[in-house]
Amino acid sequence: MRLSETPLSLCALLLLGPSSVASFYLPGVAPTNYQTGDRVPLTVNRLTPSQSEQDTQVRSVFAFDYYHHAFHHCEPEGGPKQKSESLGSILFGDRIQTSPLELYMGKNESCKAVCGKQTFQARDSKFVNRRILQNYNVNWNIDGLPAAQKMIDANNDIFYSPGFALGQVHGVETQTPVLNTHYNIYAEFHEAAQGQFRVVGVLVEPASSSESKLLDDGKVQCGDIAHPLILSEKDATDVVWTYSVYWIPSPTSFATRWDKYLHVYDSRIHWVSLTISAMIVVALVGMVSTILLRTLRKDIARYNRLDDLGLDDFGETNLDDTVQEDSGWKLVHGDVFRPPKHPMILSILVGNGAQLFMMTGFTIAFALLGFLSPSNRGSLTTVMVMLYTFFGAVGGYVSARVYKFFHGDAWKQNIAYTPLLVPGTVFSVFFLLNLFVWARQSSGAVPFTTMLALISIWFLISVPLSVGGSWLGFRAPESTPPVRTNQIPRQIPPSTGYLRPLPSMFLVGILPFGAIFLELYFIISSIWFSRIYYMFGFLFLCYGLMIVTSAAVTILMVYFALCAENYHWQWRAFFTSGASAIYVFLYAMLYWVRTLSFTSWTSGVLYLGYSALISALWFVLTGEFFFFLLLSFSFSLGYGSLTFFFSLAGTIGFVAT
């Protein structure tokens, strides 16, 4: 079979069309209409590692520029030109450039040379062969759509997976890398109006041949795929890049052309997981509500009866006989609002957590409503960066209010540290990890100009907004606790068993993690497998279940600690609600062992560093929310010192049911 021949079976499958995937998004780009013979732009992107077909392992995390000198890809006349990209696209390593491949609407091309003969030296051959063994994919874009390969999942659903193989591996034992030198491009088009056509799908079927050659008359002869090209790692190897183009009509409209790319892997697993998580949440909230309702209701009723007795009329002996000695959480009512240790650090973490929580909530909401279209590359990351920047005012305000409530007097340090400590730590780790990427000559390395842009956004927008929010927070009147704090603190009995900080964190952290672990798997896969994640409906539901679960377990553990006469609940609430971050990091390590098989230590360092960074940010986000929730309810409900547990548990039970 010659490469110039059209595979009729594949064309027939394309004419039938793949089954659509239910999704909703707002197209981010206006449709482009082409007439017959108009040139359709084809741009190239980075080369990314993908999953192996044999053992489903990913062996690298580094992406490489398409025009990396070792690949010897043909460049357009005058050199490739960089296409403008969004901030998020650059941060995720996209490097979109022009290419010499020519596609004309409705015009089939059979066996066309991309450029002249290219010569691979032994050093370049070793580099490329290693990338083939690591299952690297080539990424193109045609009219904004990624060139893809057709895939079939476990349920026999057909979908398009962005990217196509750089090469093939022949032989189970020999593991011989073969370079793909020819590309069959199948472009699907839809007629929007008379004589007006739109691109609605792109498939690429790569192949390899060592017999392709340029003829004396300037034409090219494509060889037989029965004789693939193997790059020699000892001598120089000549390569002729060729391609063919086939235009196929499709009933898919422009508005739904992304549906075949936005594939949900077995949605039944998501629904089963959500159902189980919801049942656990309802049972947990019911248990917490029952315990707190039965306990606190008796205490409140007892105090109400004592108020009605008129204790001033009783003598001291009668009083001792009538009123029994209080115990448990009632003994610490005069110490529960005592400032914690290290109030500065806690207020800064709470402020930054509030900033992260607002950013996360609004990002998921925008994605759920369809405003973050995949046709706008990097829009999700760009929106996250901008929302985090503008919500700096919220972080500064919350940090100032909490620190002022703790009677802190170093307000200048609080104003300065809030926008600098956590973002500075994150940026430092990000910069350090970026050095490893840069040292490997990977396209994923963030350019220096982009680093300067991030620093400018940070110091010119986020920091001033945070300072303004802190100024408003410190100018606001100080919140008065609903009960008076004793001058002399009570002695705290030693904690035992599960009430110790570390055992309690590991005990309660598993429950919120159970509500999100399935979506966490798909998110990690989309990041390291270069897949498109678009299951924001499931993510929204899991996020809500995680919030309810974390609230329930945090209330329960803080209540148990107070019953043990431990009134240091502030840090305990923060650490308990953020404990799920420990399991997020442990799950990332388990994912590394089961799914990733890195061939270099730098890949492991990069994966470990980003996993730890994401887990730390998750800890700050979740820890802040439930600490601030407990503090807010304690002020708003105001019966005694701790009756906010009663109303909060009832509220959570009402929302859950």
Side-chain angles (χ1 to χ4, degrees), residues 11 29 44 54 153 208 313 316 376 415 421 435 467 525 616 635:
C11 291
V29 294
V44 297
Q54 289 79 15
D153 64 9
S208 177
D313 299 334
E316 188 168 332
N376 283 334
I415 292 177
L421 184 61
L435 293 179
V467 172
S525 298
F635 279 95

Side-chain angles (χ1 to χ4, degrees), residues 269-283 514-515 517 545:
I269 297 179
H270 295 268
W271 286 116
V272 171
S273 175
L274 284 175
T275 302
I276 296 175
S277 299
M279 294 173 61
I280 294 175
V281 167
V282 171
F517 83 96
L545 292 175

